[in-house]
Amino acid sequence: MNEIDRLSEFLQRLTPLSRSCLLSELERLELCGIDMPGSTEIQSRLRAEFRKDGSTQARATSPSRYFFAPLELLLIDGAPEHANAGRISRNTLTPIWEWICRDLLPTMARDYVKAINDQVTANNPKEVQKIASVFQTKVIKVLENTLGSAESTEFARGKLAQYTASRTAFDDVMKMQHVLRAGDALPKFNEKLPEKIAKFDDGKVAQITAQLDAFKKAHPEALPFALALVARRLKTSWELVRLATKAAASKAAADVAATPYACVVPMVLDRLDDKRLALRIALRNNRVLVARDLLSEIYDTEYALKVRIDGIEATEWGIRLQQLMDAIAALVSAEVSRFPSNVGHILGSRRLRSHDTLGGKLSYLAWKGRDAVQDGAAAFRKLIGQT
């Protein structure tokens, strides 16, 4: 028996759910940069079984898809290990679903799967949605009891670890709980947002902030997810920072950190980390033009954070930003070094740092002049208030 035959025999010994979970786990390891011998062949075979369209990203089966439907707008196709406040990794859904079906609510899950399949066969979408909603409520209640103590929480964490080695899968369970608990509040908030926010100017920031204030008052735990929905509408991810800088008394990092929406800064850093990961994958696959565009976005984000938050370098935000930029610089350096020194590489072009151009420097001076006026006015108002 050759190696391929032994591999096929091994895979067939696993249950379909276990094979699906294995696929998600192998994809997770690949996204994390961990190369597993023979992984490509295994993934190819499992994708042929579970994804008829050849997709390289996990897609939930019918019953689980209806259960996870409220999460759809918040799902990302990145590695679960990466911090993503307000978003959930799609690749954790399979192990979470297996955990729910086998450990959390095995009997109710079986009943739910049968009921969903029956109604799908009967082409009754309203009843399908109703059944999914009822099961979501049951899962929320069980999670509240299960996570009611440190001991039971650790037990649940250990059970989930049997289905995935991801360190953040349990965090996604907590996120799922917050989203399901918010009910239809997130979809309603999402519907009120403009389809695209081409220009996130002061007026639009004030409008979105008012909507967020109302949402936060009713569903504080779900605020990161509302912010993630806003981020989807923005032209560039770093613009999310304006929700904090606009509300701050000044551009000083301490003042920005004191605002109600300071949490958007680490969210922007999360997205910068996602771009770092995407850059590594693009370089690994020799997609240089994709890497160029990603690198340009990365430099723009770095510049925006440093320009809009004074003293960020001395904060935890700044430390994380520098760590990310160092890792990105190492990727670029490794790529450029593959070519002779007399051969220019597109990733080494100064043009990727648009702020280093003459137009960029003039824009920077204009910003500094505007900031000086605004900071002076803020200081004057503060002085008046003290006298």
Side-chain angles (χ1 to χ4, degrees), residues 142-277:
V142 173
L143 282 175
E144 288 173 350
N145 293 329
T146 302
L147 308 180
S149 69
E151 183 179 356
S152 59
T153 297
E154 283 307 307
F155 181 77
R157 189 189 298 271
K159 283 290 186 180
L160 180 60
Q162 295 177 8
Y163 307 107
T164 176
S166 171
R167 299 184 302 275
T168 58
F170 195 76
D171 294 336
D172 281 348
V173 171
M174 303 293 289
K175 292 178 186 178
M176 176 189 75
Q177 183 183 17
H178 295 325
V179 173
L180 295 182
R181 190 182 286 156
D184 62 356
L186 278 167
K188 287 182 178 179
F189 175 83
N190 187 57
E191 289 173 2
K192 292 179 182 178
L193 293 174
E195 185 174 346
K196 290 290 181 183
I197 303 177
K199 189 176 182 181
F200 205 35
D201 54 18
D202 289 353
K204 187 61 70 175
V205 169
Q207 176 189 343
I208 297 297
T209 299
Q211 291 176 247
L212 287 166
D213 287 344
F215 182 88
K216 181 178 65 171
K217 187 176 181 180
H219 305 281
E221 289 182 335
L223 177 62
F225 306 105
L227 289 168
L229 293 175
V230 173
R232 288 169 59 95
R233 289 352 196 254
L234 299 177
K235 186 177 180 181
T236 54
S237 61
W238 66 258
E239 289 182 301
L240 199 63
V241 169
R242 299 206 68 228
L243 291 168
T245 57
K246 178 61 179 175
S250 74
K251 287 179 59 179
D255 286 336
V256 175
T259 64
Y261 295 105
C263 61
V264 298
V265 181
M267 292 180 76
V268 170
L269 292 172
D270 290 346
R271 284 155 176 75
L272 186 62
D273 198 11
D274 289 341
K275 287 185 173 62
R276 177 190 65 80
L277 175 65

Side-chain angles (χ1 to χ4, degrees), residues 127-141:
E127 193 62 26
V128 166
Q129 188 173 3
K130 180 181 177 181
I131 292 170
S133 179
V134 170
F135 189 57
Q136 288 160 5
T137 301
K138 290 178 180 177
V139 170
I140 291 172
K141 290 181 179 178

Side-chain angles (χ1 to χ4, degrees), residues 373-386:
V373 172
Q374 291 180 343
D375 288 349
F380 180 73
R381 288 194 298 270
K382 186 175 181 181
L383 180 64
I384 293 296
Q386 292 174 344

Side-chain angles (χ1 to χ4, degrees), residues 101-123:
C101 292
R102 293 191 177 188
D103 298 295
L104 194 67
L105 282 170
T107 303
M108 290 185 180
R110 283 195 298 270
D111 293 342
Y112 163 76
V113 169
K114 183 180 184 306
I116 284 288
N117 288 334
D118 289 345
Q119 294 305 319
V120 168
T121 302
N123 193 25

